[in-house]
Amino acid sequence: MNTEKDFSPLTPNIVRALNDKLYEKRKVAALEIEKLVREFVLQNNSTQIRHVIQILAAEFALSQHPHSRKGGLIGLAACSIALGKDSGLYLKELIEPVLTCFNDSDSRLRYYACEALYNIVKVARGAVLPHFNVLFDGLSKLAADPDPNVKSGSELLDRLLKDIVTESNKFDLVAFVPLLRERIYSNNQYARQFIISWILVLESVPDINLLDYLPEILDGLFQILGDSSKEIRRTCEVVLGEFLKEIKKTPSSVKFADMANILVIHCQVSDESKLTNDLIQLTAMTWMREFIQLAGRVVLPYSSGILTAVLPCLSYDDRKKSTKEAASACNQSLMKLVTPEDDDEEEVVQPERESRTATSAGEGPGMEECDSKPDSLNASQDSVGFSTISFFASTNNDRPQVTMDLDGIVQVLDRHLHESSTGMMTRIAVLKWLYHLYIKTPRKMFRHTDSLFPMLLKTLSDESDEVILKDLEVLAEIASSPAGQTDAPGSCDNAESKAELQVPASAKPVQPGVGSKGTDCSPSTPSMNSYFYKFMINLLNRFSMERKLLEIRGAFIIRQLCLLLNAENIFHSMADILLKEEDLKFASTMVQTLNTILLTSAELFQLRNQLKDLHTQESCTLFCCLYRSWCHNPVATVSLCFLTQNYKHAYDLIQKFGDLEVTVDFLMEVDKLVQLIESPIFTYLRLQLLDVENNPYLIKALYGLLMLLPQSHAFQLLSHRLRCVPNPELMRAAPQTRPSGSVRPAPCHVDYGELLEHFDRVQSKHLEVRHQRAVRAEQPDRKLV
């Protein structure tokens, strides 16, 4: 430094002392500066005061010489002390050179700068608040300083500044929030500790309403919550807890929509191996639960994003039990918000909503298009930054009513059903949601039925019985809802449903008084909607393509459907469809399955009673419908005659068995029928054996079965039963006139001759198919010869 330069009003002795390497001499110079500035204050000479400060800043604090910089810092602090309350008039000139020294490479100089600023702030007190941002910015850097002395000095200055802010009511929060939003994303632990401590202080000040700006810092708080330091995480938890308490106190002033997107993102964990991520997810899910309960129907437009976050958590194990419980509470609360009023027609349909609805039936392009919408789910959320993701549309205060984003919800639910990685509890929750939506908003939901239908059918192959039960509930609701009576033309014609069993309209039996509805609805099921018959067609098609599904779950599925829907309609419609089935082997297997269910399931008790006595036209019509399809399986046809007490017809059928191809499978079916005759279902039949005079054809039919059987266990069982029949003399010849008990009297007419002819035609087809199959099997051998 040029000592000959004019530094007046500073004396040469002061200048030399300020440049000295010894702290004691610099301190003496500071005392002289303080005395000099006090005199200028008494003289009200602001010009000289500013001149002194300018010299200390430019020639000393910002000097290239380290000792000069130290002298300048202590000199500026002395000026501030001398100015006292008037220091507020010169704060900018005093603070700026000191803050510049915060970036000095010399740790001792940084410490002196911190000490100088402490003295300046201590004198100025509330006057420093207009300069708070630059002070905060400088302090945030010192908080992460590697030197412990500098860090200790910054902590003293930090506490002083917090006291000033707490005491004042002039803190400019609006100006401070942008800086806070920027600094909150620091990865340095000390900087994070500094930031979180300030947020805690500001939140505790009654005159400062930080809650209004919570959406701008909430994401950063969740980032800090994932810090590796236990102390920082604990402090951040306290801060978030305080905010949540305040939200509960004043929910009407909370910007729920602006923060919901942030919660959705943090509810989804990308790396489940990190314990900190578990904490973030649990906290976010807890906040989400409170938001739904506090905001109510306000969150409905954003429910698709919430479900994206919540549904995967429902499949967590006990290691994340708390998160799972919070997610379950979110899911249940959100579901309760959907009411029948959401089924009303929308007054205004936004253009993007129309576009999304148009593509919702497809999975490929439709989903990609939806991902580009600002209020739709983003499929690539894991690979893009936070700022580009928008699960929720911005709040529109001009909207007259809350509109549920049904299209978005259905897309989320459908996606979770399609994903093979979806957990069992999540799939159950998805199906519960679909069922709930069909109950509460049936008209709107039927717009999505054609796109959902194939996946719901596919879900019947799920490994979990509970999932299948919920799936059947949804399908049953679709098939029986009045909202599905009139569907759009060409429905169920998408790619996945074109493999359905085709039933020509001309081949369907038409009941008197019931109009035909084309291939969409069976005339025999007037109480169901148009989707019922489609469901039956596609269900049988599923069984045809997946024989293992039929073998393992077929009976279970049909029995549950009989509980959920009308059993008579189910059996009637399936019989209609099977009557035209081209795969005769499948038709025989399916008839055998249906027959076993009919004869053994408790769920079919009422239907069995209806068929037992053919006293009404409806029961006779049902019998004839079942009989025609049951002809695909001769033994099942005989068992149906036993059930309906058509013993003479059963005897006539058994007489025809001599012309059939008797295979091992055929004999096994006869064996099972004998076992069924010994079951509680046919108790009435066994008791009728006591009345030999009125039931000769029953005895003759049973003897016919006995003659078909080889001398197996079933043969011995039936033989022993027939030996118990009293008065065997009555069986030597059938009576010339039909006994009154041989066929149960019924007011309706059944043409048994025509039924026998139909049986012959069906068996001829089966024989022809078996012959063709045998010929095809022999053809390769013939070529070789």
Side-chain angles (χ1 to χ4, degrees):
M1 177 176 288
N2 186 2
T3 57
E4 295 181 359
K5 190 175 181 180
D6 184 14
F7 292 103
S8 59
L10 298 182
T11 65
N13 290 334
I14 294 175
V15 172
R16 280 194 299 272
L18 286 176
N19 287 313
D20 200 282
K21 65 178 180 180
L22 295 177
Y23 171 75
E24 289 77 10
K25 290 187 178 181
R26 295 195 300 271
K27 187 174 182 181
V28 171
L31 292 174
E32 290 297 323
I33 292 172
E34 183 180 344
K35 186 186 300 183
L36 181 63
V37 172
R38 286 185 190 275
E39 291 177 2
F40 291 145
V41 171
L42 291 175
Q43 297 169 8
N44 199 22
N45 192 343
S46 60
T47 303
Q48 286 291 63
I49 294 173
R50 291 187 187 279
H51 189 50
V52 170
I53 294 174
Q54 184 179 4
I55 292 173
L56 290 171
E59 302 296 335
F60 289 89
L62 302 179
S63 170
Q64 297 297 322
H65 197 278
H67 298 314
S68 297
R69 293 200 295 273
K70 294 174 185 176
L73 290 170
I74 197 170
L76 289 171
C79 287
S80 178
I81 293 171
L83 288 169
K85 293 181 179 179
D86 293 335
S87 63
L89 301 173
Y90 311 93
L91 276 177
K92 183 178 180 182
E93 295 88 340
L94 289 169
I95 290 173
E96 285 183 354
V98 176
L99 289 174
T100 302
C101 292
F102 277 12
N103 299 318
D104 200 282
S105 59
D106 186 351
S107 61
R108 287 187 59 80
L109 203 140
R110 295 197 302 273
Y111 175 78
Y112 286 132
C114 189
E115 184 181 47
L117 189 58
Y118 178 87
N119 288 322
I120 294 171
V121 172
K122 186 175 182 181
V123 172
R125 302 296 294 183
V128 302
L129 289 179
H131 309 277
F132 179 80
N133 276 16
V134 293
L135 295 174
F136 183 88
D137 184 49
L139 269 177
S140 65
K141 297 173 183 176
L142 291 187
D145 198 284
D147 188 272
N149 292 324
V150 177
K151 194 181 299 180
S152 176
S154 70
E155 289 173 358
L156 288 173
L157 176 57
D158 181 51
R159 284 197 291 270
L160 174 61
L161 204 55
K162 285 174 179 173
D163 289 340
I164 293 171
V165 170
T166 305
E167 295 168 359
S168 175
N169 58 358
K170 297 180 180 179
F171 181 74
D172 190 354
L173 186 62
V174 176
F176 172 61
V177 167
L179 178 62
L180 178 61
R181 184 177 61 238
E182 176 190 344
R183 289 286 184 265
I184 202 170
Y185 286 103
S186 172
N187 291 325
N188 185 281
Q189 286 189 350
Y190 298 106
R192 283 180 164 183
Q193 182 71 59
F194 172 75
I195 293 290
I196 201 72
S197 66
W198 265 102
I199 294 176
L200 189 60
V201 168
L202 294 175
E203 173 62 16
S204 65
V205 178
D207 294 332
I208 298 177
N209 186 13
L210 194 57
L211 187 62
D212 286 345
Y213 302 92
L214 182 57
E216 300 189 49
I217 63 172
L218 184 61
D219 180 65
L221 286 173
F222 275 102
Q223 299 283 355
I224 295 176
L225 190 61
D227 195 273
S228 58
S229 169
K230 188 175 181 179
E231 182 181 353
I232 293 176
R233 292 199 304 270
R234 187 182 297 114
T235 307
C236 190
E237 280 189 90
V238 172
V239 170
L240 287 169
E242 291 299 319
F243 274 123
L244 193 56
K245 287 180 183 177
E246 194 169 345
I247 287 172
K248 291 179 181 179
K249 291 178 183 177
T250 59
S252 58
S253 61
V254 179
K255 300 174 182 178
F256 290 106
D258 295 339
M259 291 184 283
N261 180 45
I262 299 170
L263 297 181
V264 166
I265 293 171
H266 290 290
C267 281
Q268 302 173 76
V269 178
S270 58
D271 185 1
E272 295 187 6
S273 63
K274 292 184 179 180
L275 293 176
T276 54
N277 281 340
D278 292 347
L279 176 61
I280 292 173
Q281 187 181 34
L282 174 59
T283 306
M285 196 64 70
T286 302
W287 275 59
M288 185 73 79
R289 178 187 65 199
E290 298 297 335
F291 271 32
I292 296 172
Q293 293 175 353
L294 293 171
R297 287 180 57 84
V298 173
V299 303
L300 271 182
Y302 323 113
S303 47
S304 58
I306 297 174
L307 285 176
T308 300
V310 167
L311 288 174
C313 302
L314 300 177
S315 293
Y316 285 165
D317 54 26
D318 288 341
R319 289 175 296 178
K320 302 177 79 172
K321 184 178 179 181
S322 298
T323 305
K324 180 179 179 179
E325 290 175 349
S328 179
C330 286
N331 186 56
Q332 292 175 9
S333 298
L334 188 63
M335 192 178 289
K336 290 177 181 177
L337 297 179
V338 182
T339 62
E341 71 181 71
D342 294 308
D343 204 29
D344 295 337
E345 293 298 325
E346 298 153 340
E347 287 83 356
V348 179
V349 180
Q350 298 179 0
E352 64 263 27
R353 183 68 54 80
E354 291 178 337
S355 174
R356 181 169 56 190
T357 304
T359 57
S360 63
E363 294 176 28
M367 288 300 291
E368 292 173 1
E369 229 177 288
C370 284
D371 290 341
S372 66
K373 301 294 184 292
D375 62 340
S376 64
L377 297 168
N378 194 321
S380 58
Q381 56 187 320
D382 294 331
S383 60
V384 295
F386 162 71
S387 60
T388 62
I389 302 176
S390 182
F391 290 98
F392 299 98
S394 58
T395 306
N396 182 2
N397 295 326
D398 297 328
R399 182 163 47 194
Q401 62 179 2
V402 173
T403 303
M404 181 178 65
D405 180 20
L406 184 63
D407 294 346
I409 293 175
V410 172
Q411 287 174 11
V412 174
L413 299 176
D414 186 54
R415 189 182 67 196
H416 279 89
L417 275 184
H418 275 85
E419 290 177 355
S420 58
S421 59
T422 302
M424 182 188 74
M425 297 308 297
T426 300
R427 295 199 300 277
I428 291 173
V430 167
L431 293 167
K432 285 183 177 179
W433 259 103
L434 289 172
Y435 180 75
H436 185 71
L437 291 173
Y438 272 108
I439 293 294
K440 299 296 182 180
T441 60
R443 289 188 298 169
K444 289 183 179 179
M445 276 302 294
F446 267 94
R447 301 172 187 171
H448 302 276
T449 299
D450 290 342
S451 61
L452 290 170
F453 205 63
M455 194 60 218
L456 290 171
L457 287 166
K458 187 177 179 181
T459 306
L460 291 174
S461 302
D462 198 276
E463 297 177 354
S464 167
D465 285 350
E466 192 171 354
V467 171
I468 294 176
L469 279 173
K470 295 301 176 185
D471 190 38
L472 289 171
E473 286 183 10
V474 179
L475 288 166
E477 182 59 30
I478 292 174
S480 60
S481 173
Q485 286 290 359
T486 304
D487 57 331
S491 60
C492 268
D493 284 342
N494 54 56
E496 291 192 45
S497 63
K498 283 187 178 179
E500 66 182 19
L501 301 173
Q502 297 298 327
V503 183
S506 60
K508 294 179 184 177
V510 179
Q511 296 180 7
V514 180
S516 175
K517 299 180 181 179
T519 58
D520 287 345
C521 182
S522 168
S524 62
T525 57
S527 62
M528 299 291 109
N529 63 34
S530 58
Y531 278 94
F532 175 80
Y533 205 64
K534 292 176 184 177
F535 177 29
M536 294 297 105
I537 291 174
N538 283 277
L539 178 60
L540 288 175
N541 184 51
R542 194 99 196 152
F543 287 149
S544 178
M545 293 187 296
E546 295 185 39
R547 298 299 172 89
K548 191 173 182 181
L549 174 64
L550 174 60
E551 180 184 346
I552 298 175
R553 295 286 178 78
F556 173 74
I557 290 172
I558 295 172
R559 286 169 56 194
Q560 294 303 319
L561 283 176
C562 289
L563 289 175
L564 295 167
L565 298 170
N566 185 281
E568 179 182 350
N569 285 339
I570 290 171
F571 272 76
H572 204 156
S573 60
M574 285 190 171
D576 282 346
I577 298 165
L578 288 171
L579 188 60
K580 295 87 185 177
E581 172 59 42
E582 295 179 358
D583 185 346
L584 299 183
K585 185 175 181 181
F586 167 70
S588 177
T589 303
M590 194 67 222
V591 165
Q592 183 183 3
T593 302
L594 290 171
N595 187 65
T596 303
I597 296 170
L598 177 63
L599 294 178
T600 61
S601 299
E603 296 85 355
L604 277 298
F605 175 80
Q606 186 175 352
L607 188 59
R608 283 196 297 272
N609 280 348
Q610 182 179 343
L611 288 168
K612 189 181 295 184
D613 295 307
L614 302 179
H615 286 168
T616 64
Q617 182 61 47
E618 289 76 14
S619 61
C620 291
T621 302
L622 176 61
F623 165 71
C624 292
C625 177
L626 296 182
Y627 180 95
R628 293 177 185 279
S629 290
W630 260 232
C631 287
H632 284 297
N633 190 296
V635 179
T637 312
V638 170
S639 65
L640 179 64
C641 292
F642 282 156
L643 176 65
T644 56
Q645 304 184 67
N646 282 300
Y647 301 136
K648 183 180 186 306
H649 193 71
Y651 172 69
D652 292 338
L653 285 174
I654 293 173
Q655 289 286 88
K656 292 179 176 289
F657 282 8
D659 299 328
L660 302 180
E661 182 182 358
V662 179
T663 62
V664 175
D665 290 339
F666 178 85
L667 292 176
M668 288 178 63
E669 290 179 28
V670 177
D671 189 291
K672 291 177 182 178
L673 176 56
V674 171
Q675 302 291 337
L676 280 173
I677 291 173
E678 294 297 320
S679 70
I681 298 296
F682 283 112
T683 300
Y684 67 93
L685 181 147
R686 298 195 302 274
L687 289 175
Q688 287 173 359
L689 291 174
L690 296 174
D691 189 3
V692 177
E693 181 179 356
N694 290 322
N695 294 287
Y697 286 104
L698 169 59
I699 299 172
K700 292 170 74 69
L702 292 178
Y703 267 105
L705 292 179
L706 187 66
M707 295 302 106
L708 287 171
L709 285 169
Q711 296 194 18
S712 58
H713 174 70
F715 177 89
Q716 299 296 333
L717 194 65
L718 183 56
S719 176
H720 182 71
R721 172 65 64 185
L722 290 172
R723 284 199 298 270
C724 297
V725 175
N727 299 322
E729 296 82 9
L730 297 176
M731 296 178 58
R732 292 176 183 172
Q736 296 300 316
T737 58
R738 188 178 71 180
S740 59
S742 60
V743 177
R744 299 295 163 184
C748 58
H749 174 70
V750 176
D751 188 347
Y752 290 100
E754 191 276 332
L755 292 180
L756 280 175
E757 291 177 4
H758 176 77
F759 178 85
D760 290 338
R761 288 194 299 271
V762 172
Q763 291 309 310
S764 296
K765 288 183 181 179
H766 277 267
L767 185 61
E768 182 180 350
V769 169
R770 282 195 294 269
H771 175 70
Q772 292 173 354
R773 205 175 288 156
V775 170
R776 285 196 298 268
E778 292 175 2
Q779 280 177 353
D781 296 335
R782 290 176 180 174
K783 288 179 182 178
L784 287 174
V785 174

